[in-house]
Amino acid sequence: MTVLDSAIDPRNPAYLESRSAMLQRLTELEAALEEARAGGGEKSVTRHHARGKLLPRERVEMLLDQDSPFLELSPVAAWGSEFPVGASVVTGIGVVEGVECVIVANDPTVEGGAVNPYTVEKIRRAARIASVNRLPLINLVESTGAAAPAGPPPGGAIARDLSQLTVDRVPTVCVVFGATNGDAAYLPALSDYTIMVRGHAKVLTIHPQPARAAGPNGRPAPEVRSTPTVPAGVTGPADQLAEDERDGLRLARQCVRRFNWRKRGPGPRTAPPLPPRHDPEDLLTMAAADPATAFEPREVLARILDDSDFDEFKPTQGTALVTGWGELHGYPVGVLANLGQAFSPAETQKAVHFIQLANATATSLLFLQYTGAAPAAEPNEAADVRHGAPLVHAVAKSTVPHLTLMIGGTPAAEAGGIYGRAYEPRFLFSWPVERADEASGPAPYPVGKLPDDGVIDPRDTRTVLGLCLSAVHSAAVEGAEHVGVFRP
C-alpha cells in the first residue's frame, strides 16, 4: 500500500489565482446549465404544466428510485451554437428498481421537441452507451420529431440504434406522453415494452398522406398533405395504457422490475470504500490559470482514489507518463496520466506494457489526459511515428472499459488524441477549462460538437467516475487475448 502525499499549499498566491479562475468557469457553466433546465422558457413551461403535463426532468425524477443519483450526459450540448442549449433532450444514467438504466427524455417545451443535429448525436450517444455497457434503455417520448430551423432531418439513425439494442438483447422501454412523429414515431413499435398515456399519446406516421376534400360544385379540392394518427389502443402499438403521466412512469418501473436483470461484471472489491485522504476542494486549482504551470497528476489521483492509495508502475521510466494501480469507489482501476509532454519511446513502451497488463487482469483503465504548454519534442523523435504506433495499436486492441478525463487546454480538432472519442472510451468527461480552437481562437468549452459526455465540476470527479465504473460493470469486464507484454 502506497499512500500519495500532497505538496499543495493553500496559502500560495498561485493556488488562490487558479481557484478563482476555475470558480469563474464554473459560474459560466452553471449559467449554461440553468439555460438548459429552463427548456423553452417560462411561457412554454407554464403552458405545459397547465395541460397537466410534467417537464422532462420531472419525469426522470419520478421514474428513478428515491434519493438515487442521476448522471446527466452532455447537459449543455449545443452551447455556443445556433440551437437551444441542451439540444431539446435530457439523457443520462439512473437507477430504476435497482437497475442502472440509460434514460432519454424529450423536452416538448423547446420548439415542440424539435430535432436538431445535436439532438440526434446526443440520443445516439446515449444508445451507444446503453449498448456497450449493457444498460436497459428507457425512452420518455414527446416530440414532433420535425427538424429544427437550419437543421437537417434526423434520417432514421435513432430508430436504427434502438433496433440494434434489441439484437444485443438489451431491454428497451418506451413511454409516449404526447404527439410523436419523425424518427420518434418508430420508437413505440421497436421497443420491447410500450406504454402510452390515454388521451394524450399520438403516434404520427412518418410520411404525410395525400387527402382530397370536396370543393365547390362537387369538384375535388386541391390535394393537401395530412398526417395520419396511430391510436393508442387495441389497434395501436401500446402494450399498456396509462391513465396519466404518473401512471405511465409507474408502469415503466413495473416493466424494469420484471427484467430479472443481473450485472455481469464483478462488484466493488472494497465496500464501503475509504474516501481520499486529501481535500477534493484542491482539485479546483489543478487545471492552473497559467497553462505553462507544471501539472502533477499524482495530486489529482490523491483526491479521487480510495484512501489516496496508488501503486505506481515503473516510476523511474518514461517519467512524462504516470501509470499505476488503485481503486475508485471499490472498483480496481489502472491509471495512465500524461504530463502534457510529447512521448518518447520510453513512455510508449511503458504505456503499452501497462495496457497489456490491465487486459491480462481484466482491470478498467482511467486515462487522465492533460495538454498544456508542452515543451517541444526533439525533431527526430517527434517525426518518428514508430514511437506512437505501438501505443495506438495497444489502445485500439484493448477490450477492458476505458474512461477518460480531459484536463487542461486541448485544440478542439484533437478531441483527446488516442484517449479521445475516436478510440471509443466508455465515458469521456472534461473539466471546464478554456480550450483554444485553432480555427476560431479561445472559446468557452464545451462547444456544440459533443466531444465528451459532459463538463463536470472538478470536485465531483470521484463521484462521476464512480458512477461510470458501476455502469460499465453491468457488462462483462474482459481483457483482450493475452499475447505477452511489450518490452524493448
Side-chain angles (χ1 to χ4, degrees):
M1 177 176 178
T2 305
V3 176
L4 292 170
D5 200 359
S6 177
I8 288 182
D9 182 4
R11 299 166 296 182
N12 190 320
Y15 177 98
L16 299 176
E17 180 184 356
S18 298
R19 176 183 171 84
S20 176
M22 178 58 74
L23 289 175
Q24 177 59 37
R25 293 165 186 159
L26 289 174
T27 300
E28 296 170 1
L29 176 61
E30 184 59 31
L33 289 170
E34 286 298 328
E35 186 177 347
R37 296 182 191 118
E42 184 177 353
K43 184 177 179 180
S44 296
V45 169
T46 301
R47 183 169 59 244
H48 192 71
H49 277 152
R51 295 170 178 164
K53 289 179 170 290
L54 300 170
L55 296 174
R57 286 177 174 80
E58 293 172 340
R59 291 168 178 168
V60 171
E61 184 178 0
M62 294 193 66
L63 177 68
L64 298 177
D65 293 352
Q66 188 173 3
D67 298 327
S68 65
F70 179 65
L71 178 59
E72 188 169 352
L73 302 172
S74 302
V76 292
W79 183 23
S81 76
E82 60 188 298
F83 299 104
V85 178
S88 70
V89 66
V90 177
T91 63
I93 300 173
V95 180
V96 180
E97 292 291 338
V99 178
E100 286 157 303
C101 301
V102 172
I103 301 168
V104 177
N106 299 109
D107 189 345
T109 69
V110 182
E111 300 174 348
V115 175
N116 62 59
Y118 306 111
T119 311
V120 175
E121 188 172 354
K122 190 171 175 179
I123 294 176
R124 295 199 68 190
R125 175 58 183 161
R128 174 65 178 165
I129 288 173
S131 175
V132 298
N133 296 300
R134 192 176 163 268
L135 298 170
L137 176 65
I138 303 175
N139 277 295
L140 307 180
V141 181
E142 184 174 4
S143 170
T144 63
I158 296 173
R160 183 262 179 197
D161 291 344
L162 185 67
S163 181
Q164 185 60 45
L165 284 172
T166 302
V167 173
D168 296 336
R169 302 195 70 174
V170 175
T172 55
V173 178
C174 180
V175 185
V176 183
F177 295 93
T180 302
N181 67 4
D183 251 17
Y186 283 113
L187 304 186
L190 291 174
S191 298
D192 297 325
Y193 305 84
T194 299
I195 301 159
M196 300 183 120
V197 178
R198 190 190 302 273
H200 293 280
K202 298 176 184 178
V203 179
L204 311 177
T205 57
I206 306 301
H207 304 290
Q209 303 297 320
R212 290 181 181 272
N217 304 320
R219 295 179 180 179
E223 183 179 287
V224 297
R225 309 292 290 184
S226 66
T227 306
T229 301
V230 179
V234 176
T235 59
D239 300 318
Q240 300 181 79
L241 287 176
E243 296 304 318
D244 55 28
E245 295 199 1
R246 290 167 176 79
D247 188 43
L249 295 169
R250 179 189 64 82
L251 291 173
R253 289 179 54 83
Q254 178 178 290
C255 291
V256 176
R257 185 166 64 247
R258 302 305 179 190
F259 284 171
N260 194 28
W261 197 249
R262 296 181 180 86
K263 288 190 171 190
R264 291 182 178 174
R269 186 159 60 186
T270 305
L274 294 173
R277 300 192 182 195
H278 303 285
D279 191 351
E281 284 286 330
D282 296 334
L283 292 173
L284 292 173
T285 70
M286 300 300 174
D290 180 5
T293 303
F295 173 69
E296 177 47 73
R298 296 172 187 84
E299 295 284 3
V300 177
L301 298 176
R303 289 158 178 82
I304 64 175
L305 294 179
D306 294 354
D307 201 27
S308 302
D309 182 15
F310 181 64
D311 295 332
E312 192 162 348
F313 176 75
K314 291 187 174 180
T316 61
Q317 302 179 33
T319 55
L321 176 70
V322 175
T323 56
W325 312 99
E327 293 185 8
L328 204 159
H329 277 283
Y331 291 99
V333 292
V335 179
L336 295 95
N338 72 9
L339 276 64
Q341 302 175 17
F343 282 0
S344 69
E347 280 84 23
T348 297
Q349 293 160 3
K350 178 178 178 178
V352 172
H353 187 177
F354 187 76
I355 291 170
Q356 290 178 334
L357 291 177
N359 277 264
T361 57
T363 303
S364 299
L365 288 171
L366 170 61
F367 295 91
L368 263 59
Q369 169 74 4
Y370 178 84
T371 304
E378 292 295 328
N380 62 325
E381 292 186 358
D384 195 344
V385 296
R386 292 177 299 174
H387 296 161
L391 180 55
V392 169
H393 183 74
V395 174
K397 291 295 184 181
S398 173
T399 59
V400 296
H402 293 184
L403 309 180
T404 296
L405 176 65
M406 304 263 308
I407 303 172
T410 299
E414 290 184 13
I418 61 168
Y419 305 146
R421 177 69 73 225
Y423 285 80
E424 299 185 344
R426 300 289 184 92
F427 292 95
L428 190 157
F429 289 91
S430 62
W431 286 358
V433 296
E434 185 175 82
R435 296 172 188 267
D437 189 313
E438 294 169 335
S440 58
Y445 193 77
V447 293
K449 299 178 182 178
L450 293 187
D452 55 37
D453 295 313
V455 180
I456 62 174
D457 187 323
R459 295 167 293 190
D460 296 332
T461 301
R462 173 175 163 83
T463 299
V464 170
L465 294 177
L467 292 172
C468 292
L469 284 168
S470 180
V472 301
H473 279 244
S474 184
V477 179
E478 298 174 339
E481 183 178 352
H482 189 52
V483 293
V485 299
F486 178 87
R487 296 183 185 276

